[in-house]
Amino acid sequence: MPEDDAALSAEEELALARLALGEGDLRHAADHVAAALVRSPTLPEAHETLARLAAASGGDLELFPLGQQAFVGAVVARAHLLAAAGSPAEGLDLLAAATGYAPAAPWAAVPWVTAAELPERLDPERTARILMQVCAAAPDPAPRRLREPLRPYLTLARNAITVHPGHPLLLGAASALARRLGEVTLAVAWATRGVQAQPTKLGEVWLGYAYRSAGRPADALAALERAVALDPDDLAVYADIAGTLAGHGRLDAALGWIDRALAKDPTFDCAVHTAHRLRFQRDGNVDHLVALADFVRDHPDDSHEHGDLAECCRGRPWLGQVTPADAGPSDDTGPSDDTGPSNEAAQRLQHLAHPAWAHPPAAYDAAVGLATLDLTDLLALVAHPPPPPSTALGRVLGGQDPALWTRCAQVWACLGLLHHRTDEPWTGSTRRRVLRELVAGAPERAAEGALFALVTAAWVDPAIRADVAGVVAGRLDEVATGPHRRTPLAVSLAYLARATPALDPASRATADALIADAASGPLRRLWRRLTALFRR
């Protein structure tokens, strides 16, 4: 919402609040004040009206109740009332909670938060905990749009350190916030003072992160290794060390640290995720990522979200995106079928189809949106892909590369086939039979979409991996020994083979050779042009 519109809307809410105050309707007045604070958290008139309401109610906090689904405006209003009533620590707790809910709003950009005398009224450990709560709401580093709304908390940190210059927890938490806001020199200085005041595992970790953000990997590693010495059982630090080493090309050393962590606990999630990511980074064997996907499936209650699998698949052909279509126009539809898809089927596919996905299991999960379509509709979507949707992506694909949209639509229609009659055992299932028939008999691009669907099925079901790997190996051998060896289709199929779980070493070597031929031969410029077109 533009700023002028937000201020106008806040003024309207305040006008209603003043009317309600005049009538003695404090409950409705409070509702309108809370709404005004959401629209403009720093508007002076909103705070003036809140002060009038507090005077009229005797500072009744229950005008702004808290609960499991509390309105953020009520939370913020209550925070300001608490601070005015002499309980700023409780008020800061609530402001930090509001920041966690909506970090882009300047909830804390008010005079009482940035007042130099505030930290004298706060326990330094409580201030440190509040800063840590704010850090939990901000990525590291925070994007620019979040830095200004979070800056009042950095002012609070400065003022608190002036009052409590040797408090190790406060210094470390302040360092973590400064690092997120791009103040890396200050982050290093504060974290250094923190560990000088009292060497702790957490303090050394904060110092290591600050050094890492400052581009000082050797110092970062030294600090993190001191953290391990202080607490050898915190395996998350082992993973941090490994990530730092890997980020500077020292993969063997990184894996050494991960192996040490796994020796202590083979199921520790951070170590498992990091291990598979680094091993894939070292040799490119997709079976590491498949093992990671298996681990994620078998351990749904991990301590926190990890992005290693998506990070490894992002931008990679078939692991995270469809490969480009051929350079020229294409009439490559699917199998002969005189009946087009129903309107419902076309709309579902238009809503779902996309040239990229996080990783194959994520693509499988997303395709469940086609699960209730019947087989006739799914095959019709392959044979007669609908036009691109009237979305930004659809307009780009339809205007710049219609062939890529057709390819995406066929890929997702084939993924939809994976959800057809899932109660049938795989070996004799309709979904397996139809996909294999498409691989064998459909035009090349539609056949490749069906092959990707089979590969995706192998990612999510270990029991069928040998079956799918055999199909992929056979198709790869046909292309590698036939007239299409030096074509974009062969390169795309090679990447698909690389994405196949449990592929035999000979077939993997064939795929590598096809990709190497394309990289060094006359297809190099064509493949780069096609890839650039996709990434545009």
Side-chain angles (χ1 to χ4, degrees), residues 406-442:
T406 298
R407 188 156 167 70
C408 291
Q410 290 175 328
V411 164
W412 283 92
C414 291
L415 288 171
L417 285 165
L418 290 178
H419 294 277
H420 180 71
R421 296 186 182 175
T422 53
D423 58 316
E424 297 177 345
W426 174 255
T427 302
S429 66
T430 303
R431 60 193 187 280
R432 176 180 182 269
R433 174 181 58 79
V434 170
L435 286 169
R436 287 175 66 109
E437 287 174 356
L438 286 173
V439 169

PDB file of all heavy atoms in Angstrom, residues 406-442:
ATOM      1  N   THR A 406       4.543 -25.751 -23.924  1.00  0.00           N
ATOM      2  CA  THR A 406       4.030 -27.073 -24.317  1.00  0.00           C
ATOM      3  C   THR A 406       4.795 -28.170 -23.590  1.00  0.00           C
ATOM      4  O   THR A 406       4.219 -29.139 -23.083  1.00  0.00           O
ATOM      5  CB  THR A 406       4.147 -27.256 -25.830  1.00  0.00           C
ATOM      6  OG1 THR A 406       3.341 -26.269 -26.472  1.00  0.00           O
ATOM      7  CG2 THR A 406       3.682 -28.632 -26.263  1.00  0.00           C
ATOM      8  N   ARG A 407       6.087 -28.005 -23.505  1.00  0.00           N
ATOM      9  CA  ARG A 407       6.944 -28.990 -22.842  1.00  0.00           C
ATOM     10  C   ARG A 407       6.601 -29.081 -21.350  1.00  0.00           C
ATOM     11  O   ARG A 407       6.465 -30.172 -20.784  1.00  0.00           O
ATOM     12  CB  ARG A 407       8.387 -28.566 -23.051  1.00  0.00           C
ATOM     13  CG  ARG A 407       9.446 -29.550 -22.604  1.00  0.00           C
ATOM     14  CD  ARG A 407      10.696 -29.229 -23.414  1.00  0.00           C
ATOM     15  NE  ARG A 407      11.863 -29.883 -22.887  1.00  0.00           N
ATOM     16  CZ  ARG A 407      12.075 -31.193 -22.939  1.00  0.00           C
ATOM     17  NH1 ARG A 407      11.153 -31.979 -23.450  1.00  0.00           N
ATOM     18  NH2 ARG A 407      13.193 -31.707 -22.471  1.00  0.00           N
ATOM     19  N   CYS A 408       6.439 -27.913 -20.714  1.00  0.00           N
ATOM     20  CA  CYS A 408       6.075 -27.907 -19.295  1.00  0.00           C
ATOM     21  C   CYS A 408       4.742 -28.612 -19.078  1.00  0.00           C
ATOM     22  O   CYS A 408       4.587 -29.416 -18.150  1.00  0.00           O
ATOM     23  CB  CYS A 408       5.971 -26.468 -18.788  1.00  0.00           C
ATOM     24  SG  CYS A 408       7.523 -25.588 -18.678  1.00  0.00           S
ATOM     25  N   ALA A 409       3.776 -28.299 -19.937  1.00  0.00           N
ATOM     26  CA  ALA A 409       2.445 -28.879 -19.775  1.00  0.00           C
ATOM     27  C   ALA A 409       2.490 -30.399 -19.895  1.00  0.00           C
ATOM     28  O   ALA A 409       1.853 -31.122 -19.117  1.00  0.00           O
ATOM     29  CB  ALA A 409       1.495 -28.281 -20.813  1.00  0.00           C
ATOM     30  N   GLN A 410       3.258 -30.902 -20.853  1.00  0.00           N
ATOM     31  CA  GLN A 410       3.350 -32.345 -21.020  1.00  0.00           C
ATOM     32  C   GLN A 410       4.051 -33.006 -19.839  1.00  0.00           C
ATOM     33  O   GLN A 410       3.660 -34.084 -19.375  1.00  0.00           O
ATOM     34  CB  GLN A 410       4.074 -32.668 -22.333  1.00  0.00           C
ATOM     35  CG  GLN A 410       3.256 -32.324 -23.567  1.00  0.00           C
ATOM     36  CD  GLN A 410       4.027 -32.543 -24.849  1.00  0.00           C
ATOM     37  OE1 GLN A 410       5.247 -32.374 -24.898  1.00  0.00           O
ATOM     38  NE2 GLN A 410       3.323 -32.911 -25.908  1.00  0.00           N
ATOM     39  N   VAL A 411       5.087 -32.361 -19.329  1.00  0.00           N
ATOM     40  CA  VAL A 411       5.791 -32.896 -18.161  1.00  0.00           C
ATOM     41  C   VAL A 411       4.843 -33.012 -16.977  1.00  0.00           C
ATOM     42  O   VAL A 411       4.781 -34.047 -16.290  1.00  0.00           O
ATOM     43  CB  VAL A 411       7.008 -32.007 -17.815  1.00  0.00           C
ATOM     44  CG1 VAL A 411       7.519 -32.305 -16.405  1.00  0.00           C
ATOM     45  CG2 VAL A 411       8.139 -32.223 -18.824  1.00  0.00           C
ATOM     46  N   TRP A 412       4.066 -31.964 -16.708  1.00  0.00           N
ATOM     47  CA  TRP A 412       3.179 -31.991 -15.540  1.00  0.00           C
ATOM     48  C   TRP A 412       1.994 -32.926 -15.748  1.00  0.00           C
ATOM     49  O   TRP A 412       1.507 -33.549 -14.787  1.00  0.00           O
ATOM     50  CB  TRP A 412       2.732 -30.576 -15.197  1.00  0.00           C
ATOM     51  CG  TRP A 412       3.822 -29.838 -14.489  1.00  0.00           C
ATOM     52  CD1 TRP A 412       4.776 -29.040 -15.048  1.00  0.00           C
ATOM     53  CD2 TRP A 412       4.121 -29.886 -13.097  1.00  0.00           C
ATOM     54  NE1 TRP A 412       5.642 -28.571 -14.096  1.00  0.00           N
ATOM     55  CE2 TRP A 412       5.265 -29.065 -12.885  1.00  0.00           C
ATOM     56  CE3 TRP A 412       3.535 -30.510 -12.010  1.00  0.00           C
ATOM     57  CZ2 TRP A 412       5.820 -28.889 -11.620  1.00  0.00           C
ATOM     58  CZ3 TRP A 412       4.086 -30.326 -10.744  1.00  0.00           C
ATOM     59  CH2 TRP A 412       5.216 -29.523 -10.555  1.00  0.00           C
ATOM     60  N   ALA A 413       1.521 -33.047 -16.989  1.00  0.00           N
ATOM     61  CA  ALA A 413       0.465 -34.026 -17.241  1.00  0.00           C
ATOM     62  C   ALA A 413       0.967 -35.437 -16.946  1.00  0.00           C
ATOM     63  O   ALA A 413       0.247 -36.268 -16.371  1.00  0.00           O
ATOM     64  CB  ALA A 413      -0.015 -33.911 -18.686  1.00  0.00           C
ATOM     65  N   CYS A 414       2.222 -35.715 -17.313  1.00  0.00           N
ATOM     66  CA  CYS A 414       2.798 -37.025 -17.024  1.00  0.00           C
ATOM     67  C   CYS A 414       2.993 -37.225 -15.518  1.00  0.00           C
ATOM     68  O   CYS A 414       2.787 -38.319 -14.988  1.00  0.00           O
ATOM     69  CB  CYS A 414       4.123 -37.199 -17.765  1.00  0.00           C
ATOM     70  SG  CYS A 414       3.952 -37.348 -19.564  1.00  0.00           S
ATOM     71  N   LEU A 415       3.387 -36.142 -14.818  1.00  0.00           N
ATOM     72  CA  LEU A 415       3.469 -36.249 -13.362  1.00  0.00           C
ATOM     73  C   LEU A 415       2.096 -36.546 -12.763  1.00  0.00           C
ATOM     74  O   LEU A 415       1.976 -37.281 -11.773  1.00  0.00           O
ATOM     75  CB  LEU A 415       4.027 -34.951 -12.767  1.00  0.00           C
ATOM     76  CG  LEU A 415       5.518 -34.684 -12.985  1.00  0.00           C
ATOM     77  CD1 LEU A 415       5.876 -33.271 -12.543  1.00  0.00           C
ATOM     78  CD2 LEU A 415       6.373 -35.698 -12.235  1.00  0.00           C
ATOM     79  N   GLY A 416       1.062 -35.977 -13.368  1.00  0.00           N
ATOM     80  CA  GLY A 416      -0.289 -36.277 -12.915  1.00  0.00           C
ATOM     81  C   GLY A 416      -0.628 -37.747 -13.045  1.00  0.00           C
ATOM     82  O   GLY A 416      -1.366 -38.306 -12.211  1.00  0.00           O
ATOM     83  N   LEU A 417      -0.087 -38.390 -14.082  1.00  0.00           N
ATOM     84  CA  LEU A 417      -0.342 -39.824 -14.261  1.00  0.00           C
ATOM     85  C   LEU A 417       0.194 -40.653 -13.091  1.00  0.00           C
ATOM     86  O   LEU A 417      -0.306 -41.742 -12.817  1.00  0.00           O
ATOM     87  CB  LEU A 417       0.289 -40.300 -15.578  1.00  0.00           C
ATOM     88  CG  LEU A 417      -0.457 -39.895 -16.854  1.00  0.00           C
ATOM     89  CD1 LEU A 417       0.436 -40.094 -18.078  1.00  0.00           C
ATOM     90  CD2 LEU A 417      -1.740 -40.713 -16.994  1.00  0.00           C
ATOM     91  N   LEU A 418       1.212 -40.154 -12.406  1.00  0.00           N
ATOM     92  CA  LEU A 418       1.747 -40.881 -11.249  1.00  0.00           C
ATOM     93  C   LEU A 418       0.722 -41.010 -10.131  1.00  0.00           C
ATOM     94  O   LEU A 418       0.842 -41.891  -9.266  1.00  0.00           O
ATOM     95  CB  LEU A 418       2.991 -40.170 -10.706  1.00  0.00           C
ATOM     96  CG  LEU A 418       4.252 -40.210 -11.570  1.00  0.00           C
ATOM     97  CD1 LEU A 418       5.368 -39.425 -10.898  1.00  0.00           C
ATOM     98  CD2 LEU A 418       4.686 -41.644 -11.828  1.00  0.00           C
ATOM     99  N   HIS A 419      -0.266 -40.135 -10.118  1.00  0.00           N
ATOM    100  CA  HIS A 419      -1.271 -40.162  -9.054  1.00  0.00           C
ATOM    101  C   HIS A 419      -2.551 -40.876  -9.491  1.00  0.00           C
ATOM    102  O   HIS A 419      -3.546 -40.832  -8.772  1.00  0.00           O
ATOM    103  CB  HIS A 419      -1.582 -38.724  -8.620  1.00  0.00           C
ATOM    104  CG  HIS A 419      -0.428 -38.037  -7.976  1.00  0.00           C
ATOM    105  ND1 HIS A 419      -0.105 -38.189  -6.651  1.00  0.00           N
ATOM    106  CD2 HIS A 419       0.520 -37.207  -8.496  1.00  0.00           C
ATOM    107  CE1 HIS A 419       0.976 -37.473  -6.370  1.00  0.00           C
ATOM    108  NE2 HIS A 419       1.372 -36.866  -7.466  1.00  0.00           N
ATOM    109  N   HIS A 420      -2.502 -41.520 -10.643  1.00  0.00           N
ATOM    110  CA  HIS A 420      -3.677 -42.246 -11.138  1.00  0.00           C
ATOM    111  C   HIS A 420      -3.702 -43.658 -10.545  1.00  0.00           C
ATOM    112  O   HIS A 420      -2.756 -44.432 -10.696  1.00  0.00           O
ATOM    113  CB  HIS A 420      -3.635 -42.322 -12.671  1.00  0.00           C
ATOM    114  CG  HIS A 420      -4.798 -43.054 -13.267  1.00  0.00           C
ATOM    115  ND1 HIS A 420      -6.079 -42.543 -13.278  1.00  0.00           N
ATOM    116  CD2 HIS A 420      -4.879 -44.271 -13.873  1.00  0.00           C
ATOM    117  CE1 HIS A 420      -6.891 -43.400 -13.869  1.00  0.00           C
ATOM    118  NE2 HIS A 420      -6.190 -44.457 -14.236  1.00  0.00           N
ATOM    119  N   ARG A 421      -4.761 -43.992  -9.849  1.00  0.00           N
ATOM    120  CA  ARG A 421      -4.950 -45.323  -9.255  1.00  0.00           C
ATOM    121  C   ARG A 421      -3.733 -45.761  -8.443  1.00  0.00           C
ATOM    122  O   ARG A 421      -3.133 -46.818  -8.688  1.00  0.00           O
ATOM    123  CB  ARG A 421      -5.249 -46.349 -10.336  1.00  0.00           C
ATOM    124  CG  ARG A 421      -6.573 -46.085 -11.079  1.00  0.00           C
ATOM    125  CD  ARG A 421      -6.886 -47.215 -12.041  1.00  0.00           C
ATOM    126  NE  ARG A 421      -8.125 -46.936 -12.779  1.00  0.00           N
ATOM    127  CZ  ARG A 421      -8.591 -47.706 -13.767  1.00  0.00           C
ATOM    128  NH1 ARG A 421      -7.927 -48.812 -14.128  1.00  0.00           N
ATOM    129  NH2 ARG A 421      -9.701 -47.390 -14.389  1.00  0.00           N
ATOM    130  N   THR A 422      -3.377 -44.957  -7.484  1.00  0.00           N
ATOM    131  CA  THR A 422      -2.193 -45.271  -6.673  1.00  0.00           C
ATOM    132  C   THR A 422      -2.406 -46.471  -5.765  1.00  0.00           C
ATOM    133  O   THR A 422      -1.444 -46.960  -5.147  1.00  0.00           O
ATOM    134  CB  THR A 422      -1.805 -44.053  -5.813  1.00  0.00           C
ATOM    135  OG1 THR A 422      -2.944 -43.621  -5.067  1.00  0.00           O
ATOM    136  CG2 THR A 422      -1.306 -42.912  -6.688  1.00  0.00           C
ATOM    137  N   ASP A 423      -3.651 -46.953  -5.689  1.00  0.00           N
ATOM    138  CA  ASP A 423      -3.890 -48.156  -4.903  1.00  0.00           C
ATOM    139  C   ASP A 423      -3.398 -49.413  -5.608  1.00  0.00           C
ATOM    140  O   ASP A 423      -3.260 -50.471  -4.992  1.00  0.00           O
ATOM    141  CB  ASP A 423      -5.388 -48.291  -4.605  1.00  0.00           C
ATOM    142  CG  ASP A 423      -6.229 -48.328  -5.870  1.00  0.00           C
ATOM    143  OD1 ASP A 423      -5.977 -47.511  -6.787  1.00  0.00           O
ATOM    144  OD2 ASP A 423      -7.133 -49.179  -5.961  1.00  0.00           O
ATOM    145  N   GLU A 424      -3.123 -49.306  -6.902  1.00  0.00           N
ATOM    146  CA  GLU A 424      -2.638 -50.471  -7.662  1.00  0.00           C
ATOM    147  C   GLU A 424      -1.151 -50.686  -7.407  1.00  0.00           C
ATOM    148  O   GLU A 424      -0.359 -49.746  -7.493  1.00  0.00           O
ATOM    149  CB  GLU A 424      -2.852 -50.263  -9.160  1.00  0.00           C
ATOM    150  CG  GLU A 424      -4.307 -50.136  -9.573  1.00  0.00           C
ATOM    151  CD  GLU A 424      -4.466 -49.865 -11.068  1.00  0.00           C
ATOM    152  OE1 GLU A 424      -3.456 -49.490 -11.718  1.00  0.00           O
ATOM    153  OE2 GLU A 424      -5.575 -50.035 -11.586  1.00  0.00           O
ATOM    154  N   PRO A 425      -0.708 -51.909  -7.096  1.00  0.00           N
ATOM    155  CA  PRO A 425       0.732 -52.182  -6.959  1.00  0.00           C
ATOM    156  C   PRO A 425       1.469 -51.797  -8.234  1.00  0.00           C
ATOM    157  O   PRO A 425       0.968 -51.984  -9.340  1.00  0.00           O
ATOM    158  CB  PRO A 425       0.780 -53.696  -6.713  1.00  0.00           C
ATOM    159  CG  PRO A 425      -0.570 -54.034  -6.154  1.00  0.00           C
ATOM    160  CD  PRO A 425      -1.530 -53.104  -6.827  1.00  0.00           C
ATOM    161  N   TRP A 426       2.674 -51.262  -8.064  1.00  0.00           N
ATOM    162  CA  TRP A 426       3.402 -50.648  -9.170  1.00  0.00           C
ATOM    163  C   TRP A 426       3.564 -51.581 -10.372  1.00  0.00           C
ATOM    164  O   TRP A 426       3.309 -51.186 -11.516  1.00  0.00           O
ATOM    165  CB  TRP A 426       4.776 -50.176  -8.681  1.00  0.00           C
ATOM    166  CG  TRP A 426       5.646 -49.658  -9.787  1.00  0.00           C
ATOM    167  CD1 TRP A 426       6.710 -50.284 -10.369  1.00  0.00           C
ATOM    168  CD2 TRP A 426       5.516 -48.401 -10.445  1.00  0.00           C
ATOM    169  NE1 TRP A 426       7.258 -49.507 -11.346  1.00  0.00           N
ATOM    170  CE2 TRP A 426       6.546 -48.339 -11.425  1.00  0.00           C
ATOM    171  CE3 TRP A 426       4.654 -47.316 -10.333  1.00  0.00           C
ATOM    172  CZ2 TRP A 426       6.724 -47.237 -12.264  1.00  0.00           C
ATOM    173  CZ3 TRP A 426       4.826 -46.216 -11.164  1.00  0.00           C
ATOM    174  CH2 TRP A 426       5.842 -46.187 -12.115  1.00  0.00           C
ATOM    175  N   THR A 427       3.970 -52.802 -10.158  1.00  0.00           N
ATOM    176  CA  THR A 427       4.344 -53.670 -11.279  1.00  0.00           C
ATOM    177  C   THR A 427       3.215 -53.841 -12.283  1.00  0.00           C
ATOM    178  O   THR A 427       3.443 -53.774 -13.498  1.00  0.00           O
ATOM    179  CB  THR A 427       4.784 -55.047 -10.756  1.00  0.00           C
ATOM    180  OG1 THR A 427       5.891 -54.868  -9.859  1.00  0.00           O
ATOM    181  CG2 THR A 427       5.212 -55.941 -11.904  1.00  0.00           C
ATOM    182  N   GLY A 428       2.004 -54.044 -11.824  1.00  0.00           N
ATOM    183  CA  GLY A 428       0.897 -54.228 -12.750  1.00  0.00           C
ATOM    184  C   GLY A 428      -0.016 -53.030 -12.857  1.00  0.00           C
ATOM    185  O   GLY A 428      -1.152 -53.160 -13.339  1.00  0.00           O
ATOM    186  N   SER A 429       0.472 -51.859 -12.456  1.00  0.00           N
ATOM    187  CA  SER A 429      -0.395 -50.689 -12.358  1.00  0.00           C
ATOM    188  C   SER A 429      -0.651 -50.038 -13.716  1.00  0.00           C
ATOM    189  O   SER A 429       0.144 -50.137 -14.650  1.00  0.00           O
ATOM    190  CB  SER A 429       0.237 -49.651 -11.427  1.00  0.00           C
ATOM    191  OG  SER A 429       1.427 -49.140 -11.996  1.00  0.00           O
ATOM    192  N   THR A 430      -1.783 -49.354 -13.784  1.00  0.00           N
ATOM    193  CA  THR A 430      -2.124 -48.589 -14.980  1.00  0.00           C
ATOM    194  C   THR A 430      -1.116 -47.465 -15.196  1.00  0.00           C
ATOM    195  O   THR A 430      -0.694 -47.203 -16.329  1.00  0.00           O
ATOM    196  CB  THR A 430      -3.536 -47.999 -14.847  1.00  0.00           C
ATOM    197  OG1 THR A 430      -4.469 -49.054 -14.604  1.00  0.00           O
ATOM    198  CG2 THR A 430      -3.932 -47.235 -16.093  1.00  0.00           C
ATOM    199  N   ARG A 431      -0.702 -46.780 -14.125  1.00  0.00           N
ATOM    200  CA  ARG A 431       0.216 -45.653 -14.268  1.00  0.00           C
ATOM    201  C   ARG A 431       1.555 -46.097 -14.843  1.00  0.00           C
ATOM    202  O   ARG A 431       2.119 -45.421 -15.714  1.00  0.00           O
ATOM    203  CB  ARG A 431       0.391 -44.919 -12.939  1.00  0.00           C
ATOM    204  CG  ARG A 431       0.934 -45.747 -11.797  1.00  0.00           C
ATOM    205  CD  ARG A 431       0.767 -45.000 -10.456  1.00  0.00           C
ATOM    206  NE  ARG A 431       1.415 -45.687  -9.351  1.00  0.00           N
ATOM    207  CZ  ARG A 431       0.904 -46.728  -8.707  1.00  0.00           C
ATOM    208  NH1 ARG A 431      -0.266 -47.221  -9.079  1.00  0.00           N
ATOM    209  NH2 ARG A 431       1.545 -47.285  -7.690  1.00  0.00           N
ATOM    210  N   ARG A 432       2.066 -47.237 -14.400  1.00  0.00           N
ATOM    211  CA  ARG A 432       3.331 -47.734 -14.950  1.00  0.00           C
ATOM    212  C   ARG A 432       3.160 -48.107 -16.417  1.00  0.00           C
ATOM    213  O   ARG A 432       3.995 -47.754 -17.273  1.00  0.00           O
ATOM    214  CB  ARG A 432       3.810 -48.948 -14.158  1.00  0.00           C
ATOM    215  CG  ARG A 432       5.081 -49.598 -14.717  1.00  0.00           C
ATOM    216  CD  ARG A 432       5.471 -50.803 -13.850  1.00  0.00           C
ATOM    217  NE  ARG A 432       6.699 -51.424 -14.307  1.00  0.00           N
ATOM    218  CZ  ARG A 432       6.754 -52.417 -15.198  1.00  0.00           C
ATOM    219  NH1 ARG A 432       5.611 -52.884 -15.753  1.00  0.00           N
ATOM    220  NH2 ARG A 432       7.902 -52.936 -15.557  1.00  0.00           N
ATOM    221  N   ARG A 433       2.081 -48.827 -16.736  1.00  0.00           N
ATOM    222  CA  ARG A 433       1.867 -49.254 -18.118  1.00  0.00           C
ATOM    223  C   ARG A 433       1.738 -48.063 -19.063  1.00  0.00           C
ATOM    224  O   ARG A 433       2.387 -48.012 -20.116  1.00  0.00           O
ATOM    225  CB  ARG A 433       0.610 -50.120 -18.199  1.00  0.00           C
ATOM    226  CG  ARG A 433       0.207 -50.498 -19.637  1.00  0.00           C
ATOM    227  CD  ARG A 433      -1.059 -51.324 -19.671  1.00  0.00           C
ATOM    228  NE  ARG A 433      -2.196 -50.654 -19.053  1.00  0.00           N
ATOM    229  CZ  ARG A 433      -2.915 -49.704 -19.670  1.00  0.00           C
ATOM    230  NH1 ARG A 433      -2.601 -49.306 -20.886  1.00  0.00           N
ATOM    231  NH2 ARG A 433      -3.952 -49.160 -19.042  1.00  0.00           N
ATOM    232  N   VAL A 434       0.942 -47.080 -18.681  1.00  0.00           N
ATOM    233  CA  VAL A 434       0.703 -45.935 -19.568  1.00  0.00           C
ATOM    234  C   VAL A 434       1.980 -45.117 -19.760  1.00  0.00           C
ATOM    235  O   VAL A 434       2.310 -44.712 -20.878  1.00  0.00           O
ATOM    236  CB  VAL A 434      -0.430 -45.061 -19.000  1.00  0.00           C
ATOM    237  CG1 VAL A 434      -0.538 -43.739 -19.759  1.00  0.00           C
ATOM    238  CG2 VAL A 434      -1.755 -45.819 -19.067  1.00  0.00           C
ATOM    239  N   LEU A 435       2.703 -44.874 -18.682  1.00  0.00           N
ATOM    240  CA  LEU A 435       3.940 -44.093 -18.803  1.00  0.00           C
ATOM    241  C   LEU A 435       4.971 -44.817 -19.659  1.00  0.00           C
ATOM    242  O   LEU A 435       5.658 -44.208 -20.490  1.00  0.00           O
ATOM    243  CB  LEU A 435       4.504 -43.781 -17.413  1.00  0.00           C
ATOM    244  CG  LEU A 435       3.742 -42.706 -16.631  1.00  0.00           C
ATOM    245  CD1 LEU A 435       4.204 -42.662 -15.183  1.00  0.00           C
ATOM    246  CD2 LEU A 435       3.911 -41.336 -17.283  1.00  0.00           C
ATOM    247  N   ARG A 436       5.103 -46.105 -19.498  1.00  0.00           N
ATOM    248  CA  ARG A 436       6.054 -46.857 -20.323  1.00  0.00           C
ATOM    249  C   ARG A 436       5.614 -46.858 -21.786  1.00  0.00           C
ATOM    250  O   ARG A 436       6.463 -46.795 -22.697  1.00  0.00           O
ATOM    251  CB  ARG A 436       6.199 -48.278 -19.792  1.00  0.00           C
ATOM    252  CG  ARG A 436       6.992 -48.348 -18.483  1.00  0.00           C
ATOM    253  CD  ARG A 436       7.014 -49.764 -17.927  1.00  0.00           C
ATOM    254  NE  ARG A 436       7.755 -50.664 -18.785  1.00  0.00           N
ATOM    255  CZ  ARG A 436       8.955 -51.190 -18.481  1.00  0.00           C
ATOM    256  NH1 ARG A 436       9.537 -50.859 -17.336  1.00  0.00           N
ATOM    257  NH2 ARG A 436       9.539 -52.021 -19.291  1.00  0.00           N
ATOM    258  N   GLU A 437       4.299 -46.915 -22.037  1.00  0.00           N
ATOM    259  CA  GLU A 437       3.814 -46.839 -23.419  1.00  0.00           C
ATOM    260  C   GLU A 437       4.132 -45.472 -24.032  1.00  0.00           C
ATOM    261  O   GLU A 437       4.492 -45.379 -25.209  1.00  0.00           O
ATOM    262  CB  GLU A 437       2.311 -47.101 -23.459  1.00  0.00           C
ATOM    263  CG  GLU A 437       1.942 -48.564 -23.219  1.00  0.00           C
ATOM    264  CD  GLU A 437       0.447 -48.776 -23.112  1.00  0.00           C
ATOM    265  OE1 GLU A 437      -0.305 -47.760 -23.140  1.00  0.00           O
ATOM    266  OE2 GLU A 437       0.012 -49.949 -22.996  1.00  0.00           O
ATOM    267  N   LEU A 438       4.014 -44.422 -23.242  1.00  0.00           N
ATOM    268  CA  LEU A 438       4.366 -43.088 -23.736  1.00  0.00           C
ATOM    269  C   LEU A 438       5.859 -42.991 -24.027  1.00  0.00           C
ATOM    270  O   LEU A 438       6.274 -42.406 -25.025  1.00  0.00           O
ATOM    271  CB  LEU A 438       3.967 -42.031 -22.708  1.00  0.00           C
ATOM    272  CG  LEU A 438       2.478 -41.726 -22.580  1.00  0.00           C
ATOM    273  CD1 LEU A 438       2.228 -40.790 -21.399  1.00  0.00           C
ATOM    274  CD2 LEU A 438       1.940 -41.112 -23.858  1.00  0.00           C
ATOM    275  N   VAL A 439       6.673 -43.570 -23.150  1.00  0.00           N
ATOM    276  CA  VAL A 439       8.124 -43.562 -23.385  1.00  0.00           C
ATOM    277  C   VAL A 439       8.460 -44.263 -24.694  1.00  0.00           C
ATOM    278  O   VAL A 439       9.306 -43.813 -25.468  1.00  0.00           O
ATOM    279  CB  VAL A 439       8.858 -44.237 -22.207  1.00  0.00           C
ATOM    280  CG1 VAL A 439      10.333 -44.468 -22.555  1.00  0.00           C
ATOM    281  CG2 VAL A 439       8.739 -43.378 -20.953  1.00  0.00           C
ATOM    282  N   ALA A 440       7.773 -45.348 -24.974  1.00  0.00           N
ATOM    283  CA  ALA A 440       8.095 -46.149 -26.160  1.00  0.00           C
ATOM    284  C   ALA A 440       7.449 -45.623 -27.431  1.00  0.00           C
ATOM    285  O   ALA A 440       8.027 -45.756 -28.520  1.00  0.00           O
ATOM    286  CB  ALA A 440       7.660 -47.594 -25.940  1.00  0.00           C
ATOM    287  N   GLY A 441       6.266 -44.992 -27.330  1.00  0.00           N
ATOM    288  CA  GLY A 441       5.522 -44.705 -28.542  1.00  0.00           C
ATOM    289  C   GLY A 441       5.193 -43.265 -28.821  1.00  0.00           C
ATOM    290  O   GLY A 441       4.806 -42.927 -29.951  1.00  0.00           O
ATOM    291  N   ALA A 442       5.328 -42.375 -27.856  1.00  0.00           N
ATOM    292  CA  ALA A 442       4.963 -40.984 -28.082  1.00  0.00           C
ATOM    293  C   ALA A 442       6.080 -40.251 -28.816  1.00  0.00           C
ATOM    294  O   ALA A 442       7.229 -40.713 -28.837  1.00  0.00           O
ATOM    295  CB  ALA A 442       4.684 -40.304 -26.745  1.00  0.00           C
TER     296      ALA A 442
END
